[in-house]
Amino acid sequence: MEENFLDLKEKVDYVDGNKYKLQDKKHELGIEALGKYLGYDTERPDNLYKTGPDVLWKLPNNKYVLLELKTNKDDGNYSKKETSQSLDHLEWIKNRESLIDNKNLYSIIIGPHNKVNHDANPSEYTYIITLEEFKKYAELLISLIERSFSGAIRNTEQIDELTKEFDLNWESYFETTIEKILAINLKV
């Protein structure tokens, strides 16, 4: 699937939480665009079906990144309701895609590293990652792509090859670089 690089770059700019402070719908568009930028099938199930995560990335190897945005949350603990959404998303994707376990799923709450209320029981598979971490990843990719393809036609297939070459694909970056905290480890 080819996407216009400049349009994607403009939408990815929406992950800038300082520029678009407390604008969660713009952040959702930016996170969706970042997934497209990486060549993944993306959608916004909560908008489309009124269920599921805010943003879904389907990776080429049948892995899924379920993203729940809490970017409007400045302070205060994550509530039972807020953390239970990620559990619901895991079940939703398993039912939709006929998956039997969580091993191919990345469950992520995008928001501040606030504490989780004592009565909440987040999944042992759910991470909390700040919007700033996604911004850093997007900036790194954009910089690399602009240096590598200056003046050339750009499409997601070229970007996919570049991320593989420089080991910047989502899975590798998630495992080695991005700052993440298991939600369960933030319980008070």
Side-chain angles (χ1 to χ4, degrees):
M1 166 182 62
E2 289 198 16
E3 290 286 339
N4 179 310
F5 175 80
L6 295 176
D7 288 344
L8 282 175
K9 182 180 172 188
E10 183 178 306
K11 288 179 186 169
V12 167
D13 186 51
Y14 290 150
V15 299
D16 187 335
N18 293 319
K19 190 173 185 179
Y20 299 99
K21 188 160 181 68
L22 302 178
Q23 295 185 39
D24 61 331
K25 294 301 177 194
K26 286 204 185 277
H27 300 155
E28 287 177 22
L29 287 170
I31 294 296
E32 180 185 30
L34 179 58
K36 283 183 181 177
Y37 211 144
L38 293 163
Y40 304 147
D41 291 333
T42 66
E43 64 180 297
R44 294 175 59 205
D46 190 47
N47 281 5
L48 291 170
Y49 315 117
K50 304 300 179 216
T51 187
D54 291 326
V55 180
L56 173 68
W57 295 349
K58 182 179 180 190
L59 283 56
N61 53 2
N62 289 320
K63 292 187 179 181
Y64 300 85
V65 182
L66 299 92
L67 301 145
E68 179 64 33
L69 280 77
K70 299 296 180 198
T71 55
N72 284 352
K73 187 172 200 60
D74 274 339
D75 55 5
N77 295 348
Y78 286 100
S79 70
K80 181 178 183 177
K81 180 181 177 185
E82 289 171 320
T83 59
S84 66
Q85 286 179 301
S86 60
L87 286 168
D88 179 71
H89 302 334
L90 289 168
E91 293 307 311
W92 174 81
I93 194 69
K94 287 192 308 191
N95 288 330
R96 181 178 122 162
E97 300 296 327
S98 301
L99 304 172
I100 53 174
D101 57 35
N102 295 333
K103 72 177 183 175
N104 289 327
L105 305 177
Y106 294 90
S107 174
I108 297 168
I109 296 171
I110 300 176
H113 287 158
N114 296 357
K115 295 290 185 185
V116 173
N117 278 345
H118 71 282
D119 64 341
N121 296 295
S123 163
E124 63 187 292
Y125 302 102
T126 299
Y127 290 89
I128 297 177
I129 301 173
T130 64
L131 186 62
E132 180 65 25
E133 286 295 310
F134 282 88
K135 180 183 176 217
K136 284 193 263 185
Y137 182 48
E139 288 173 343
L140 181 63
L141 289 170
I142 289 168
S143 172
L144 182 62
I145 290 163
E146 288 178 336
R147 283 191 313 236
S148 300
F149 293 115
S150 57
I153 302 279
R154 301 171 182 119
N155 61 51
T156 55
E157 288 79 17
Q158 290 172 310
I159 294 167
D160 184 49
E161 290 303 314
L162 194 62
T163 60
K164 286 178 186 169
E165 180 181 340
F166 289 92
D167 205 25
L168 285 175
N169 67 57
W170 169 253
E171 290 180 90
S172 176
Y173 193 80
F174 178 82
E175 295 300 329
T176 62
T177 307
I178 205 164
E179 183 182 331
K180 59 194 174 294
I181 299 174
L182 277 169
I184 202 164
N185 292 339
L186 291 173
K187 279 187 75 161
V188 287

